[in-house]
Amino acid sequence: MSTPDLLAQDGLVQDRPAALRRLLARPELGALIAAVAVFVVFAAVAEPFLRVSSLGTVLYAASTIGIMAVPVSLLMIGGEFDLSAGVLVTTAALTSSMVSYQFTAVTWVGVLVSLATTLAIGWFNGWMLGRTKLPSFIVTLGTFLMLTGANLGITKAVSGTVSTKAISDMEGYEACRRLFASEVTIGGLTVKATVWWWLGLLVVGSWVLLRTRFGNWIFAVGGDADAARAVGVPVARTKTLLYLGVGFGAWVLGQHLLFSFDTVQSGEGVGNELIYIVAAVIGGCLITGGYGSVVGSALGALIFGMVSKGIIYAQWNPDWFKFFLGAMLLMAALLNAYVKRRAERGPR
């Protein structure tokens, strides 16, 4: 064998450990392993889990979490939380419905007013964070409480009940339903509109995070805001834009909620913000910020979808579902911290 061949082989041997280290440093690796494990478990214990129709159900459940998990993961990589994200989805649906019913009888007007409302609330969270320097936990907890009260109080004042009026007979309803709540069946697999919205947000979010200057800003402000500010990163503006992203995701999911069921209960959404955070953490995001993956958040949402439906298909007691989520959260947080430490140490 020639000397170049020997050198080439030696280079391959040396490259393999480096490639393995890079793979082990990926934030979404733990979520990928967990997703495969969850799939194998339910495939083994629940025969209906492997049916094509069941896959559509799992994807739908995952997408309703994934739509919010994408912007929430970006926000967490930027070092912040949004405890109002769950009720903001309900606010988006309520606003669209009540504006359409009470003022215009055209659903598109309500949809656009709802978008402006959720973006305004996202901007408010970011602005308050920048102006007051309070922790995002406090700022968004306040927003959560205000929205929870406003959702109930305004709905009862306008509609006389805790739910909105039906709007299915209004102009534009069918077009809005096709955009936000339609479904298509391909070979027995039913794919709902939320899956396409989820995939679109996933692609855009990954591109922004990994391929743009703004993505570098997100990592910088989450890792060390003071250091980022010292090198010219607009910290306050970056965080405000991340909150606007959460507002957009809430608008999309809120419109799906409205145009799927025609009416909306004002008390919905409370507690869902924790599920979005769990999906992001399982996907590799650190609570402390500066580290994470949008793709990982999608895997976290997929795990949620598989578990929530797999438990039903396996005929297990659903009361254990949140216990499982809590255990997954703790294990994911420990694994993410370990992976980050290994990545920071670099080659050894």
Side-chain angles (χ1 to χ4, degrees), residues 43-86:
V45 302
E47 183 274 332
F49 185 77
L50 294 177
R51 296 173 187 169
V52 175
S53 58
S54 299
L55 176 59
T57 304
V58 168
L59 286 175
Y60 174 62
S63 67
T64 58
I65 301 302
I67 286 173
M68 288 300 291
V70 168
V72 166
S73 66
L74 290 172
L75 181 64
M76 290 183 64
I77 295 170
E80 305 298 344
F81 290 98
D82 191 348
L83 297 180
S84 66

Side-chain angles (χ1 to χ4, degrees), residues 86-158:
V87 292
L88 186 56
V89 173
T90 306
T91 300
L94 292 170
T95 301
S96 184
S97 178
M98 288 190 286
V99 168
S100 299
Y101 186 87
Q102 298 293 329
F103 298 107
T104 68
V106 179
T107 57
W108 284 111
V109 175
V111 167
L112 293 177
V113 171
S114 176
L115 175 60
T117 300
T118 56
L119 292 179
I121 293 170
W123 174 85
F124 173 79
N125 283 334
W127 178 79
M128 281 290 292
L129 190 72
R131 292 286 294 181
T132 65
K133 309 302 180 184
L134 289 171
S136 57
F137 178 87
I138 298 299
V139 171
T140 59
L141 179 60
T143 308
F144 162 80
L145 294 172
M146 289 189 292
L147 290 179
T148 301
N151 287 349
L152 179 59
I154 295 175
T155 303
K156 290 182 71 174
V158 172

Side-chain angles (χ1 to χ4, degrees), residues 23-321:
L23 176 62
L24 293 175
R26 293 298 305 170
E28 63 271 13
L29 178 63
L32 177 60
I33 295 172
V36 172
V38 169
F39 177 84
V40 170
V41 168
F42 284 114
V45 302
E47 183 274 332
F49 185 77
L50 294 177
R51 296 173 187 169
V52 175
S53 58
S54 299
L55 176 59
T57 304
V58 168
L59 286 175
Y60 174 62
S63 67
T64 58
I65 301 302
I67 286 173
M68 288 300 291
V70 168
V72 166
S73 66
L74 290 172
L75 181 64
M76 290 183 64
I77 295 170
E80 305 298 344
F81 290 98
D82 191 348
L83 297 180
S84 66
V87 292
L88 186 56
V89 173
T90 306
T91 300
L94 292 170
T95 301
S96 184
S97 178
M98 288 190 286
V99 168
S100 299
Y101 186 87
Q102 298 293 329
F103 298 107
T104 68
V106 179
T107 57
W108 284 111
V109 175
V111 167
L112 293 177
V113 171
S114 176
L115 175 60
T117 300
T118 56
L119 292 179
I121 293 170
W123 174 85
F124 173 79
N125 283 334
W127 178 79
M128 281 290 292
L129 190 72
R131 292 286 294 181
T132 65
K133 309 302 180 184
L134 289 171
S136 57
F137 178 87
I138 298 299
V139 171
T140 59
L141 179 60
T143 308
F144 162 80
L145 294 172
M146 289 189 292
L147 290 179
T148 301
N151 287 349
L152 179 59
I154 295 175
T155 303
K156 290 182 71 174
V158 172
S159 304
T161 66
V162 296
S163 63
T164 60
K165 304 294 185 180
I167 62 171
S168 57
D169 58 344
M170 293 185 180
E171 181 182 347
Y173 181 87
E174 281 303 315
C176 291
R177 189 191 64 79
R178 285 194 296 270
L179 179 60
F180 295 105
S182 61
E183 60 184 41
V184 58
T185 301
I186 306 171
L189 175 64
T190 300
V191 182
K192 293 185 177 289
T194 49
V195 176
W196 306 119
W197 279 101
W198 178 33
L199 293 176
L201 289 172
L202 176 61
V203 170
V204 172
S206 296
W207 176 76
V208 167
L209 185 65
L210 301 176
R211 301 296 181 184
T212 68
R213 182 172 62 173
F214 183 69
N216 292 332
W217 290 353
I218 295 173
F219 281 113
V221 300
D224 190 332
D226 292 333
R229 189 178 292 109
V231 296
V233 174
V235 174
R237 192 199 331 163
T238 298
K239 294 187 177 184
T240 299
L241 289 172
L242 292 174
Y243 277 107
L244 289 175
V246 174
F248 180 81
W251 171 73
V252 172
L253 196 55
Q255 304 319 295
H256 169 73
L257 178 66
L258 172 62
F259 292 106
S260 290
F261 303 104
D262 193 13
T263 61
V264 183
Q265 296 290 324
S266 58
E268 294 182 6
V270 176
N272 286 349
E273 63 281 346
L274 298 180
I275 296 177
Y276 307 147
I277 292 173
V278 168
V281 172
I282 290 175
C285 293
L286 288 181
I287 299 296
T288 52
Y291 186 80
S293 164
V294 174
V295 172
S297 75
L299 290 170
L302 183 60
I303 291 171
F304 173 90
M306 288 192 292
V307 172
S308 63
K309 300 307 175 184
I311 286 177
I312 296 173
Y313 294 138
Q315 298 182 346
W316 293 351
N317 186 346
D319 295 340
W320 290 93
F321 172 65

